Amino acid sequence: ERLDVANNAITTLDGFEPELEFLFEVDAGGNFIKDVEQVAHLAPLPLLRKVTLAGNPMAADEGYRTRTLFLVPQLAYLDGGEVSAEDKVAVVNMYDPPQPVLDYRKHCLEYDTMLGEHLSLPPPLADPDLEAPAIWDGEIRVGSPSSRGSTP
């Protein structure tokens, strides 16, 4: 079933009762819904796959799409666009990450901190007497630049 309440000056999504459990699509675009948390009222609808909320003040907020997908994870389409598996994984990793993701983030933070400490050291001084070849040919040469070309 489909429910169209678009352009009705509504300010809340409260009122989606269990009797509406067969809803597949809700169009609530063009209203006055300001708080993205209102989307949580749609979460109990098990068959809901398509929602349109574009044109509400909340849709202009940064994070609106990811928060909506987190609150109503069963959605396949939001505001006319398809919700990909990558979108869903990104949303879970953002709002409710599993332990391996948390461990990875911690590792990266520790590595960045360690790397940052090393990057703050001044670079080593270059020896002006040494010449570096334009392209390294894989050979390691020992001695001063003037003795490299001579044969014993």
Side-chain angles (χ1 to χ4, degrees):
E1 295 182 31
R2 181 178 194 278
L3 176 65
D4 187 345
V5 292
N7 303 308
N8 275 296
I10 61 174
T11 58
T12 181
L13 292 173
D14 192 12
F16 284 90
E17 305 299 325
E19 296 83 37
L20 300 173
E21 67 184 17
F22 295 108
L23 278 178
F24 177 80
E25 181 178 359
V26 171
D27 184 350
N31 284 295
F32 300 114
I33 304 166
K34 295 178 183 176
D35 185 8
V36 72
E37 297 301 316
Q38 286 291 316
V39 175
H41 293 294
L42 302 175
L45 305 173
L47 301 179
L48 186 64
R49 296 296 179 267
K50 293 175 78 174
V51 171
T52 300
L53 297 167
N56 284 285
M58 70 175 170
D61 292 345
E62 183 178 334
Y64 150 76
R65 179 178 170 80
T66 55
R67 188 69 181 156
T68 298
L69 294 177
F70 178 72
L71 293 170
V72 192
Q74 69 267 32
L75 292 182
Y77 296 90
L78 177 60
D79 295 331
E82 188 171 358
V83 176
S84 69
E86 290 83 5
D87 291 335
K88 291 185 178 198
V89 169
V91 165
V92 169
N93 286 341
M94 180 181 293
Y95 290 104
D96 190 22
Q99 191 60 46
V101 172
L102 293 173
D103 293 343
Y104 177 75
R105 286 182 183 166
K106 181 180 176 189
H107 170 77
C108 289
L109 182 61
E110 290 169 353
Y111 180 77
D112 286 347
T113 301
M114 179 188 72
L115 186 61
E117 290 170 1
H118 291 293
L119 289 177
S120 64
L121 296 175
L125 297 175
D127 186 346
D129 293 332
L130 295 178
E131 295 175 15
I135 298 175
W136 184 55
D137 59 7
E139 276 189 52
I140 299 176
R141 295 175 180 84
V142 180
S144 67
S146 57
S147 65
R148 284 192 195 146
S150 60
T151 35

